[in-house]
Amino acid sequence: GDSVTQMEGPVTLSEEAFLTINCTYTATGYPSLFWYVQYPGEGLQLLLKATKADDKGSNKGFEATYRKETTSFHLEKGSVQVSDSAVYFCALSDLNRDDKIIFGKGTRLHILP
Amino acid sequence: DTEVTQTPKHLVMGMTNKKSLKCEQHMGHRAMYWYKQKAKKPPELMFVYSYEKLSINESVPSRFSPECPNSSLLNLHLHALQPEDSALYLCASSRGGQGGSNEQFFGPGTRLTVL
């Protein structure tokens, strides 16, 4: 079945550092890919998405490119802030199959001032 | 309005109590979801409603009973829960349907503690 694998962390960086969180997926169809973020004590928020190969999703300085050839959707940000400390989930959804979203295990990010 | 609301925010209940969690969205979404999330884990899907009909039940114990009174509301009725059911319960909604990206919009969750 479809699956998502991401680095589990925790990842600890200093403020203004460059961030990469790796995500790879396995899918039989043509899924849409997402990054969700969960701040402490809150629900999940959609951070960005990409619906087809070579699409780049971006939001709040974060970017991720849908790479079909490497089945990857790595999350990047050029300069992180303390307020970016959260848990990040990579996810996929194939609407042609069902309404489910498949989540990775999540990556906890700590940004030090 | 792009918000999913959930009440209550916190709930403490005994193992013999009956309580309900409520979720509401006014985005015209046709699919609504209940998830359970334990600490440091991703959300686990429990139920999916599509066009107000239960379409997916992920083998959830019968002490959890979902209900979708109309296209905007989703309830989760709780009865005879166990301490291991303590978790964050998240509601979500999505446009659904074939094609498109089907991103889900999540509520803030209900933090449930079973004593």
Side-chain angles (χ1 to χ4, degrees):
Chain A
D2 294 0
S3 65
V4 175
T5 302
Q6 62 179 111
M7 51 194 293
E8 290 189 32
V11 174
T12 302
L13 296 171
S14 297
E15 204 166 23
E16 300 183 3
F18 185 87
L19 169 71
T20 300
I21 300 177
N22 290 335
C23 172
T24 57
Y25 68 91
T26 303
T28 53
Y30 301 94
S32 296
L33 301 176
F34 309 94
W35 277 100
Y36 282 87
V37 59
Q38 187 172 31
Y39 298 102
E42 298 184 11
L44 277 70
Q45 299 176 26
L46 178 65
L47 181 59
L48 53 84
K49 68 179 183 183
T51 58
K52 61 184 186 300
D54 300 325
D55 269 2
K56 177 186 280 189
S58 61
N59 186 27
K60 299 181 181 179
F62 290 90
E63 293 183 341
T65 300
Y66 190 143
R67 301 282 188 203
K68 194 166 185 289
E69 64 276 15
T70 54
T71 61
S72 65
F73 193 55
H74 304 321
L75 182 68
E76 296 182 336
K77 187 176 185 182
S79 176
V80 292
Q81 306 300 313
V82 172
S83 57
D84 294 326
S85 298
V87 180
Y88 293 80
F89 293 97
C90 185
L92 70 81
S93 173
D94 187 346
L95 260 184
N96 292 314
R97 185 190 58 231
D98 57 33
D99 285 324
K100 291 184 184 181
I101 276 187
I102 296 171
F103 288 97
K105 292 186 176 181
T107 301
R108 186 169 298 274
L109 176 65
H110 294 290
I111 306 300
L112 303 175
Chain B
D1 183 359
T2 58
E3 191 179 19
V4 177
T5 59
Q6 290 188 245
T7 55
K9 191 171 175 63
H10 299 278
L11 178 63
V12 179
M13 60 187 290
M15 289 189 284
T16 59
N17 292 158
K18 287 184 181 181
K19 297 286 185 183
S20 296
L21 310 184
K22 298 186 184 302
C23 173
E24 191 166 3
Q25 58 89 11
H26 294 288
M27 294 178 277
H29 287 171
R30 73 151 183 85
M32 296 185 75
Y33 309 77
W34 280 116
Y35 289 88
K36 172 183 177 180
Q37 187 180 27
K38 300 286 264 185
K40 300 187 178 181
K41 298 289 186 183
E44 297 174 35
L45 183 64
M46 300 174 72
F47 303 104
V48 181
Y49 273 82
S50 178
Y51 290 110
E52 302 171 42
K53 288 185 171 22
L54 184 64
S55 60
I56 297 176
N57 176 343
E58 293 287 89
S59 303
V60 178
S62 60
R63 57 186 185 269
F64 296 91
S65 175
E67 178 197 20
C68 189
N70 60 55
S71 59
S72 299
L73 293 174
L74 186 66
N75 298 323
L76 186 63
H77 302 298
L78 314 172
H79 174 56
L81 294 193
Q82 304 297 309
E84 59 265 29
D85 296 321
S86 298
L88 181 68
Y89 287 83
L90 294 165
C91 175
S93 71
S94 70
R95 180 178 54 81
Q98 298 262 325
S101 60
N102 199 37
E103 60 262 42
Q104 293 184 14
F105 293 80
F106 283 80
T110 293
R111 176 73 59 187
L112 174 67
T113 302
V114 182
L115 300 176

